[in-house]
Amino acid sequence: MMGFMSEPTSTSIPLTGSQYDISAGPYRATATELGAGLRRLSYADRPLVTGYEPDQLPPAGAGQLLTPWPNRIDSGRYDFDGATLQLELSEAARGNAIHGLTRWANWQATAHTPAEVTLAHVLHGRPGYPFCLQLAVSYRLDAATGLHVTVSATNAGSRPAPYGTGSHPYLTLDTPLVDVCELEVPASHWLPTDDRGIPSGAPLDVTGSPFDFRAPRAIGDTSLDHALTGLARDEDGRAWARLTKGAFGLGLWAGPGYDWLQVFTGDALAPALRRRALAVEPMTCPANAFVTGEGRLTLAPGTSVSHSWGIEVLQP
């Protein structure tokens, strides 16, 4: 039987699904149905993060929400509650499971106002993660204090579940390279890793290392893809990373529970993205936490946890 092609439709669904625009004062942002990602953030039409088009997949993880773990799990294998579990190797080239299970899932909007959107997703059990989580993320803009993000998880299943979360924004000051920007990260220790991105030892003191940005200084040719910890915090419990160039700057704050900041200059990316922006990723745990237990949370059935972070333009 001969097949027939249907007529093309006049509209198509963008790769990132529905788009949720929010605004407050000079700030504008868009979150996506795909992965509940942060597709764009701007201030007075000036981009603050690496953005992308609705019909484009997030380049190099730009703006993605990472849950129920951030970063990598060595060989995708871990022990939990008396069982050995094996995840799909989503970073096949390095033989790791990377950045959780919800980046490519559909999230549903449960609330949307001019300045805030909340997206939700039920993560059902699967091989390697036989647990059930109800997840939600809210993106809120404030005209004075910028972007506020809150990530929440509830164990909706019948057994304890391992959990961690992170987010993957790339900060930009609209410079050709981040080399000319000054960076400040109030972290006393850095985590060494092997060539697969798996921790190879305990955190080390940043003193005398290329990763000491406790005082602001130019990034220069420093290559960064490192988790920093031992974070100094302000009176509100926030740890601030600051990226500045001249009179303009951005502050990314990580609230309580975000004990790690992964800082990435993008040296391994394609030329169009290499060192063009700086990923500053708030994480509740470092790479391989499901194996080592470092920072890994265990959610008992019926319990919930929330973490908050944000981005604010620094006023001169």
Side-chain angles (χ1 to χ4, degrees):
M1 179 181 295
M2 181 179 294
F4 295 92
M5 295 181 63
S6 61
E7 292 296 320
T9 58
S10 58
T11 60
S12 60
I13 298 174
L15 291 177
T16 55
S18 299
Q19 310 291 303
Y20 301 100
D21 297 329
I22 55 176
S23 63
Y27 289 96
R28 302 285 185 275
T30 302
T32 63
E33 176 185 0
L34 179 68
L38 179 66
R39 187 174 68 77
R40 66 168 183 161
L41 174 67
S42 65
Y43 178 88
D45 296 326
R46 179 172 183 165
L48 305 181
V49 300
T50 295
Y52 53 96
E53 296 303 315
D55 203 34
Q56 179 185 6
L57 292 180
Q64 290 191 310
L65 173 62
L66 318 175
T67 190
W69 75 85
N71 218 294
R72 297 168 173 85
I73 297 175
D74 185 10
S75 303
R77 186 180 301 110
Y78 65 102
D79 295 331
F80 184 79
D81 202 22
T84 298
L85 301 170
Q86 178 64 59
L87 292 155
E88 179 183 354
L89 301 184
S90 47
E91 189 183 38
R94 291 184 170 184
N96 297 319
I98 190 171
H99 287 339
L101 299 170
T102 67
R103 291 192 294 161
W104 311 112
N106 291 2
W107 291 61
Q108 301 301 314
T110 58
H112 188 195
T113 66
E116 183 173 5
V117 62
T118 299
L119 299 164
H121 175 71
V122 177
L123 175 61
H124 293 290
R126 62 186 64 196
Y129 197 81
F131 314 102
C132 184
L133 300 181
Q134 290 181 327
L135 302 167
V137 57
S138 70
Y139 294 99
R140 178 175 63 86
L141 289 177
D142 180 273
T145 58
L147 177 69
H148 297 247
V149 183
T150 299
V151 181
S152 302
T154 298
N155 185 349
S158 61
R159 63 185 71 176
Y163 176 76
T165 189
S167 293
H168 208 297
Y170 286 85
L171 306 184
T172 178
L173 299 181
D174 205 22
T175 58
L177 297 173
V178 296
D179 306 36
V180 299
C181 301
E182 285 196 343
L183 175 63
E184 179 184 3
V185 183
S188 63
H189 286 74
W190 67 281
L191 186 65
T193 58
D194 63 19
D195 58 3
R196 295 174 51 244
I198 301 300
S200 57
L204 301 175
D205 193 324
V206 298
T207 303
S209 78
F211 316 120
D212 188 354
F213 285 92
R214 288 174 292 183
R217 62 181 178 88
I219 294 173
D221 60 359
T222 305
S223 179
L224 295 166
D225 190 7
H226 297 80
L228 306 179
T229 192
L231 303 176
R233 297 179 180 272
D234 65 15
E235 61 276 7
D236 296 320
R238 296 177 175 183
W240 287 84
R242 296 176 174 88
L243 187 69
T244 58
K245 178 66 172 70
F248 191 79
L250 297 179
L252 181 144
W253 58 265
Y258 283 117
D259 292 332
W260 301 79
L261 294 174
Q262 182 86 14
V263 184
F264 178 43
T265 47
D267 296 72
L269 302 181
L273 299 172
R274 189 176 301 149
R275 301 186 70 87
R276 303 305 175 97
L278 182 75
V280 181
E281 309 162 35
M283 307 188 302
T284 61
C285 56
N288 215 29
F290 276 22
V291 175
T292 65
E294 177 70 46
R296 183 188 68 192
L297 300 176
T298 297
L299 299 183
T303 62
S304 302
V305 65
S306 293
H307 298 91
S308 296
W309 64 275
I311 297 173
E312 179 179 338
V313 169
L314 302 175
Q315 300 300 326

Short mmCIF file of all heavy atoms in Angstrom, two decimals, residues 91-138:
data_model
loop_
_atom_site.label_atom_id
_atom_site.label_comp_id
_atom_site.label_asym_id
_atom_site.label_seq_id
_atom_site.Cartn_x
_atom_site.Cartn_y
_atom_site.Cartn_z
N GLU A 91 26.84 10.31 30.02
CA GLU A 91 28.08 10.88 29.50
C GLU A 91 28.92 9.70 29.02
O GLU A 91 29.89 9.28 29.65
CB GLU A 91 28.81 11.68 30.57
CG GLU A 91 30.00 12.47 30.02
CD GLU A 91 30.78 13.20 31.10
OE1 GLU A 91 30.95 12.65 32.20
OE2 GLU A 91 31.24 14.33 30.84
N ALA A 92 28.52 9.15 27.89
CA ALA A 92 29.09 7.88 27.42
C ALA A 92 30.58 7.97 27.16
O ALA A 92 31.32 7.01 27.42
CB ALA A 92 28.36 7.43 26.16
N ALA A 93 31.04 9.11 26.64
CA ALA A 93 32.46 9.23 26.29
C ALA A 93 33.36 9.07 27.50
O ALA A 93 34.50 8.61 27.38
CB ALA A 93 32.72 10.57 25.61
N ARG A 94 32.86 9.43 28.68
CA ARG A 94 33.64 9.31 29.90
C ARG A 94 33.16 8.18 30.80
O ARG A 94 33.71 7.94 31.87
CB ARG A 94 33.62 10.63 30.69
CG ARG A 94 34.38 11.76 30.02
CD ARG A 94 34.38 12.98 30.92
NE ARG A 94 35.28 14.02 30.44
CZ ARG A 94 35.53 15.16 31.10
NH1 ARG A 94 34.94 15.39 32.26
NH2 ARG A 94 36.37 16.04 30.61
N GLY A 95 32.10 7.51 30.38
CA GLY A 95 31.59 6.40 31.16
C GLY A 95 30.95 6.83 32.47
O GLY A 95 31.05 6.12 33.47
N ASN A 96 30.24 7.96 32.46
CA ASN A 96 29.61 8.48 33.66
C ASN A 96 28.12 8.71 33.43
O ASN A 96 27.65 8.85 32.29
CB ASN A 96 30.22 9.84 34.06
CG ASN A 96 31.69 9.74 34.42
OD1 ASN A 96 32.11 8.81 35.09
ND2 ASN A 96 32.47 10.72 33.98
N ALA A 97 27.37 8.78 34.52
CA ALA A 97 26.03 9.35 34.50
C ALA A 97 26.17 10.80 34.94
O ALA A 97 26.85 11.09 35.92
CB ALA A 97 25.11 8.59 35.45
N ILE A 98 25.54 11.72 34.21
CA ILE A 98 25.79 13.14 34.44
C ILE A 98 24.50 13.94 34.58
O ILE A 98 23.52 13.70 33.86
CB ILE A 98 26.69 13.73 33.31
CG1 ILE A 98 27.17 15.14 33.66
CG2 ILE A 98 25.96 13.70 31.98
CD1 ILE A 98 28.22 15.68 32.71
N HIS A 99 24.50 14.86 35.54
CA HIS A 99 23.52 15.95 35.66
C HIS A 99 22.07 15.49 35.82
O HIS A 99 21.14 16.18 35.39
CB HIS A 99 23.64 16.88 34.47
CG HIS A 99 24.86 17.75 34.50
ND1 HIS A 99 25.56 18.03 35.66
CD2 HIS A 99 25.52 18.41 33.49
CE1 HIS A 99 26.58 18.82 35.37
NE2 HIS A 99 26.60 19.06 34.08
N GLY A 100 21.86 14.35 36.44
CA GLY A 100 20.52 13.98 36.84
C GLY A 100 19.66 13.37 35.75
O GLY A 100 20.15 12.90 34.72
N LEU A 101 18.34 13.42 35.97
CA LEU A 101 17.40 12.67 35.13
C LEU A 101 16.27 13.52 34.56
O LEU A 101 15.37 12.98 33.92
CB LEU A 101 16.78 11.53 35.96
CG LEU A 101 17.77 10.50 36.51
CD1 LEU A 101 17.07 9.57 37.50
CD2 LEU A 101 18.40 9.69 35.37
N THR A 102 16.28 14.83 34.78
CA THR A 102 15.11 15.63 34.39
C THR A 102 15.42 16.73 33.38
O THR A 102 14.52 17.52 33.07
CB THR A 102 14.46 16.26 35.63
OG1 THR A 102 15.34 17.24 36.20
CG2 THR A 102 14.13 15.21 36.68
N ARG A 103 16.65 16.78 32.87
CA ARG A 103 17.00 17.87 31.95
C ARG A 103 16.18 17.82 30.66
O ARG A 103 15.96 18.87 30.04
CB ARG A 103 18.49 17.81 31.59
CG ARG A 103 19.41 18.14 32.73
CD ARG A 103 20.83 18.33 32.22
NE ARG A 103 21.42 17.11 31.70
CZ ARG A 103 22.48 17.06 30.89
NH1 ARG A 103 23.03 18.20 30.47
NH2 ARG A 103 22.98 15.92 30.49
N TRP A 104 15.78 16.62 30.26
CA TRP A 104 15.08 16.47 28.98
C TRP A 104 13.63 16.06 29.19
O TRP A 104 12.96 15.63 28.26
CB TRP A 104 15.81 15.46 28.10
CG TRP A 104 17.28 15.75 28.04
CD1 TRP A 104 18.30 15.02 28.56
CD2 TRP A 104 17.90 16.88 27.44
NE1 TRP A 104 19.50 15.61 28.33
CE2 TRP A 104 19.31 16.76 27.64
CE3 TRP A 104 17.41 18.01 26.75
CZ2 TRP A 104 20.21 17.72 27.18
CZ3 TRP A 104 18.32 18.96 26.29
CH2 TRP A 104 19.70 18.80 26.50
N ALA A 105 13.14 16.23 30.42
CA ALA A 105 11.75 15.89 30.74
C ALA A 105 10.85 17.10 30.53
O ALA A 105 11.30 18.25 30.55
CB ALA A 105 11.64 15.40 32.19
N ASN A 106 9.56 16.84 30.35
CA ASN A 106 8.57 17.91 30.27
C ASN A 106 8.14 18.31 31.67
O ASN A 106 7.79 17.46 32.50
CB ASN A 106 7.33 17.44 29.49
CG ASN A 106 7.63 17.22 28.02
OD1 ASN A 106 8.76 17.38 27.58
ND2 ASN A 106 6.61 16.83 27.27
N TRP A 107 8.18 19.60 31.95
CA TRP A 107 7.73 20.16 33.22
C TRP A 107 6.46 20.97 32.95
O TRP A 107 6.35 21.65 31.92
CB TRP A 107 8.79 21.05 33.84
CG TRP A 107 10.02 20.33 34.33
CD1 TRP A 107 10.89 19.58 33.59
CD2 TRP A 107 10.51 20.30 35.67
NE1 TRP A 107 11.89 19.08 34.39
CE2 TRP A 107 11.69 19.52 35.68
CE3 TRP A 107 10.08 20.87 36.86
CZ2 TRP A 107 12.44 19.29 36.82
CZ3 TRP A 107 10.82 20.65 38.02
CH2 TRP A 107 11.99 19.86 37.99
N GLN A 108 5.53 20.92 33.88
CA GLN A 108 4.25 21.60 33.71
C GLN A 108 4.18 22.85 34.57
O GLN A 108 4.57 22.82 35.75
CB GLN A 108 3.10 20.66 34.08
CG GLN A 108 3.06 19.38 33.26
CD GLN A 108 2.94 19.64 31.78
OE1 GLN A 108 2.12 20.45 31.34
NE2 GLN A 108 3.76 18.95 30.98
N ALA A 109 3.67 23.93 34.01
CA ALA A 109 3.50 25.16 34.78
C ALA A 109 2.32 25.00 35.73
O ALA A 109 1.21 24.65 35.31
CB ALA A 109 3.27 26.34 33.86
N THR A 110 2.55 25.24 37.01
CA THR A 110 1.48 25.19 38.00
C THR A 110 1.06 26.58 38.45
O THR A 110 0.01 26.73 39.08
CB THR A 110 1.92 24.38 39.24
OG1 THR A 110 3.09 24.97 39.81
CG2 THR A 110 2.22 22.94 38.84
N ALA A 111 1.86 27.59 38.15
CA ALA A 111 1.51 28.98 38.44
C ALA A 111 2.34 29.87 37.53
O ALA A 111 3.51 29.57 37.26
CB ALA A 111 1.77 29.33 39.90
N HIS A 112 1.73 30.95 37.04
CA HIS A 112 2.45 31.88 36.16
C HIS A 112 1.84 33.27 36.31
O HIS A 112 0.69 33.50 35.95
CB HIS A 112 2.36 31.40 34.71
CG HIS A 112 3.23 32.18 33.77
ND1 HIS A 112 3.09 32.13 32.39
CD2 HIS A 112 4.25 33.05 34.00
CE1 HIS A 112 3.99 32.90 31.82
NE2 HIS A 112 4.70 33.49 32.78
N THR A 113 2.62 34.18 36.90
CA THR A 113 2.22 35.56 37.04
C THR A 113 3.21 36.41 36.24
O THR A 113 4.21 35.87 35.72
CB THR A 113 2.23 35.99 38.51
OG1 THR A 113 3.57 35.97 39.00
CG2 THR A 113 1.36 35.05 39.35
N PRO A 114 3.00 37.71 36.10
CA PRO A 114 3.95 38.51 35.32
C PRO A 114 5.39 38.42 35.81
O PRO A 114 6.32 38.53 35.00
CB PRO A 114 3.40 39.93 35.47
CG PRO A 114 1.93 39.74 35.62
CD PRO A 114 1.79 38.50 36.44
N ALA A 115 5.62 38.20 37.11
CA ALA A 115 6.98 38.20 37.64
C ALA A 115 7.47 36.85 38.12
O ALA A 115 8.62 36.74 38.56
CB ALA A 115 7.08 39.20 38.81
N GLU A 116 6.64 35.80 38.02
CA GLU A 116 7.05 34.51 38.58
C GLU A 116 6.38 33.37 37.83
O GLU A 116 5.22 33.46 37.42
CB GLU A 116 6.69 34.44 40.06
CG GLU A 116 7.13 33.16 40.76
CD GLU A 116 6.90 33.20 42.26
OE1 GLU A 116 6.32 34.20 42.75
OE2 GLU A 116 7.31 32.25 42.95
N VAL A 117 7.13 32.26 37.68
CA VAL A 117 6.56 31.04 37.13
C VAL A 117 7.07 29.86 37.96
O VAL A 117 8.22 29.84 38.40
CB VAL A 117 6.92 30.85 35.64
CG1 VAL A 117 8.43 30.73 35.42
CG2 VAL A 117 6.21 29.63 35.07
N THR A 118 6.18 28.91 38.22
CA THR A 118 6.53 27.68 38.92
C THR A 118 6.25 26.51 37.99
O THR A 118 5.15 26.41 37.43
CB THR A 118 5.73 27.52 40.23
OG1 THR A 118 6.04 28.61 41.09
CG2 THR A 118 6.09 26.21 40.91
N LEU A 119 7.25 25.64 37.85
CA LEU A 119 7.14 24.45 37.01
C LEU A 119 7.31 23.22 37.88
O LEU A 119 8.12 23.22 38.83
CB LEU A 119 8.21 24.47 35.91
CG LEU A 119 8.13 25.65 34.95
CD1 LEU A 119 9.43 25.79 34.16
CD2 LEU A 119 6.98 25.47 33.99
N ALA A 120 6.57 22.15 37.56
CA ALA A 120 6.59 20.94 38.38
C ALA A 120 6.76 19.71 37.50
O ALA A 120 6.40 19.70 36.31
CB ALA A 120 5.31 20.83 39.19
N HIS A 121 7.32 18.67 38.11
CA HIS A 121 7.55 17.40 37.40
C HIS A 121 7.55 16.27 38.43
O HIS A 121 8.12 16.42 39.51
CB HIS A 121 8.89 17.43 36.67
CG HIS A 121 9.26 16.14 36.02
ND1 HIS A 121 8.62 15.65 34.91
CD2 HIS A 121 10.21 15.21 36.34
CE1 HIS A 121 9.16 14.49 34.56
NE2 HIS A 121 10.12 14.20 35.41
N VAL A 122 6.91 15.16 38.09
CA VAL A 122 6.99 13.95 38.91
C VAL A 122 8.02 13.03 38.28
O VAL A 122 7.86 12.58 37.14
CB VAL A 122 5.62 13.25 39.03
CG1 VAL A 122 5.78 11.95 39.83
CG2 VAL A 122 4.60 14.16 39.70
N LEU A 123 9.11 12.79 39.02
CA LEU A 123 10.14 11.88 38.57
C LEU A 123 9.79 10.48 39.07
O LEU A 123 9.95 10.17 40.25
CB LEU A 123 11.51 12.31 39.10
CG LEU A 123 12.68 11.37 38.79
CD1 LEU A 123 12.89 11.21 37.29
CD2 LEU A 123 13.95 11.85 39.47
N HIS A 124 9.25 9.65 38.17
CA HIS A 124 8.91 8.29 38.53
C HIS A 124 10.16 7.42 38.55
O HIS A 124 11.21 7.80 38.03
CB HIS A 124 7.89 7.73 37.54
CG HIS A 124 6.55 8.40 37.61
ND1 HIS A 124 5.70 8.25 38.67
CD2 HIS A 124 5.93 9.25 36.74
CE1 HIS A 124 4.59 8.96 38.46
NE2 HIS A 124 4.72 9.58 37.30
N GLY A 125 10.03 6.26 39.15
CA GLY A 125 11.16 5.36 39.24
C GLY A 125 11.62 4.85 37.89
O GLY A 125 10.85 4.81 36.92
N ARG A 126 12.89 4.48 37.84
CA ARG A 126 13.47 3.92 36.62
C ARG A 126 14.69 3.09 37.02
O ARG A 126 15.17 3.19 38.16
CB ARG A 126 13.88 5.04 35.66
CG ARG A 126 14.96 5.97 36.23
CD ARG A 126 15.21 7.12 35.31
NE ARG A 126 14.03 7.96 35.19
CZ ARG A 126 13.85 8.87 34.23
NH1 ARG A 126 14.78 9.05 33.31
NH2 ARG A 126 12.76 9.60 34.19
N PRO A 127 15.23 2.28 36.10
CA PRO A 127 16.43 1.52 36.44
C PRO A 127 17.55 2.46 36.90
O PRO A 127 17.83 3.47 36.27
CB PRO A 127 16.79 0.83 35.12
CG PRO A 127 15.48 0.69 34.41
CD PRO A 127 14.71 1.93 34.76
N GLY A 128 18.15 2.13 38.02
CA GLY A 128 19.21 2.94 38.58
C GLY A 128 18.73 4.00 39.54
O GLY A 128 19.52 4.52 40.34
N TYR A 129 17.45 4.36 39.48
CA TYR A 129 16.87 5.31 40.42
C TYR A 129 15.42 4.89 40.71
O TYR A 129 14.46 5.50 40.20
CB TYR A 129 16.93 6.74 39.87
CG TYR A 129 16.73 7.79 40.96
CD1 TYR A 129 17.78 8.17 41.79
CD2 TYR A 129 15.48 8.39 41.16
CE1 TYR A 129 17.60 9.10 42.80
CE2 TYR A 129 15.29 9.33 42.17
CZ TYR A 129 16.36 9.68 42.98
OH TYR A 129 16.18 10.61 43.98
N PRO A 130 15.23 3.83 41.51
CA PRO A 130 13.90 3.29 41.78
C PRO A 130 13.20 4.06 42.90
O PRO A 130 12.82 3.48 43.93
CB PRO A 130 14.19 1.84 42.16
CG PRO A 130 15.53 1.92 42.84
CD PRO A 130 16.30 2.98 42.09
N PHE A 131 13.02 5.36 42.70
CA PHE A 131 12.43 6.24 43.69
C PHE A 131 11.47 7.18 42.98
O PHE A 131 11.51 7.31 41.74
CB PHE A 131 13.51 7.04 44.42
CG PHE A 131 14.68 6.20 44.87
CD1 PHE A 131 15.88 6.20 44.15
CD2 PHE A 131 14.58 5.39 45.98
CE1 PHE A 131 16.95 5.42 44.55
CE2 PHE A 131 15.65 4.59 46.38
CZ PHE A 131 16.83 4.61 45.66
N CYS A 132 10.61 7.83 43.74
CA CYS A 132 9.62 8.74 43.14
C CYS A 132 9.68 10.09 43.85
O CYS A 132 9.47 10.17 45.07
CB CYS A 132 8.22 8.15 43.26
SG CYS A 132 6.93 9.15 42.46
N LEU A 133 9.98 11.15 43.09
CA LEU A 133 10.09 12.49 43.64
C LEU A 133 9.09 13.43 42.96
O LEU A 133 8.91 13.38 41.74
CB LEU A 133 11.49 13.06 43.43
CG LEU A 133 12.68 12.32 44.05
CD1 LEU A 133 13.96 13.08 43.74
CD2 LEU A 133 12.51 12.14 45.55
N GLN A 134 8.45 14.27 43.76
CA GLN A 134 7.70 15.40 43.22
C GLN A 134 8.62 16.62 43.27
O GLN A 134 9.09 17.00 44.35
CB GLN A 134 6.44 15.65 44.05
CG GLN A 134 5.38 14.57 43.89
CD GLN A 134 4.13 14.85 44.69
OE1 GLN A 134 4.21 15.44 45.77
NE2 GLN A 134 2.99 14.43 44.19
N LEU A 135 8.89 17.19 42.11
CA LEU A 135 9.86 18.27 41.99
C LEU A 135 9.17 19.55 41.55
O LEU A 135 8.18 19.53 40.81
CB LEU A 135 10.92 17.89 40.96
CG LEU A 135 11.69 16.59 41.23
CD1 LEU A 135 12.47 16.17 40.00
CD2 LEU A 135 12.62 16.77 42.43
N ALA A 136 9.71 20.68 42.00
CA ALA A 136 9.20 21.98 41.57
C ALA A 136 10.33 22.99 41.57
O ALA A 136 11.26 22.90 42.38
CB ALA A 136 8.06 22.45 42.47
N VAL A 137 10.25 23.94 40.64
CA VAL A 137 11.20 25.05 40.62
C VAL A 137 10.42 26.32 40.32
O VAL A 137 9.54 26.34 39.46
CB VAL A 137 12.32 24.84 39.58
CG1 VAL A 137 11.77 24.63 38.18
CG2 VAL A 137 13.31 26.02 39.59
N SER A 138 10.70 27.37 41.08
CA SER A 138 10.10 28.66 40.80
C SER A 138 11.18 29.65 40.40
O SER A 138 12.26 29.68 41.00
CB SER A 138 9.33 29.19 42.03
OG SER A 138 10.22 29.55 43.07
#
